[in-house]
Amino acid sequence: MPIEDHALVNEFPEFKEDIHQLKMDDAHFRKLYDEYNHLTKSVEKMEQEIIPASTTEEEQLKKQRLQLKDTLQGYIKATRLAAEKA
């Protein structure tokens, strides 16, 4: 099964500019973004069997990544909404 690219800009292409701007201007967003990338790389290494892991460990990291992705999406939307109101 091919492994998808889970980079945040691929997950949310409609927010590409927002993601870039937040990475540059918002330290909290950048921290969450970096954590998301770290989780993604860890999952990819497990999927490619570079890092040995049980299915349970891999699934747990995937759940963490999904929760973080939801958090990041909410952050982006809230920031965009605040900018539109300003």
Side-chain angles (χ1 to χ4, degrees), residues 42 45-47 49-58 61:
S42 295
K45 288 177 182 177
M46 289 177 182
E47 289 175 335
E49 298 180 358
I50 294 171
I51 296 175
S54 69
T55 303
T56 304
E57 290 172 315
E58 186 177 325
L61 284 185

Side-chain angles (χ1 to χ4, degrees), residues 4-66:
E4 299 175 26
D5 184 355
H6 288 279
L8 202 60
V9 293
N10 292 337
E11 296 286 343
F12 304 118
E14 69 277 18
F15 296 133
K16 183 178 180 178
E17 291 178 25
D18 298 277
I19 292 167
H20 174 72
Q21 198 61 47
L22 284 166
K23 283 189 328 188
M24 302 300 290
D25 298 339
D26 189 311
H28 181 65
F29 180 86
R30 187 170 41 252
K31 180 180 180 243
L32 295 174
Y33 178 85
D34 289 343
E35 183 178 343
Y36 176 84
N37 285 333
H38 176 74
L39 281 171
T40 297
K41 288 177 184 176
S42 295
V43 168
E44 288 171 355
K45 288 177 182 177
M46 289 177 182
E47 289 175 335
Q48 296 168 4
E49 298 180 358
I50 294 171
I51 296 175
S54 69
T55 303
T56 304
E57 290 172 315
E58 186 177 325
E59 292 302 316
Q60 182 61 34
L61 284 185
K62 286 180 179 181
K63 287 177 184 177
Q64 288 177 7
R65 179 178 64 186
L66 183 59

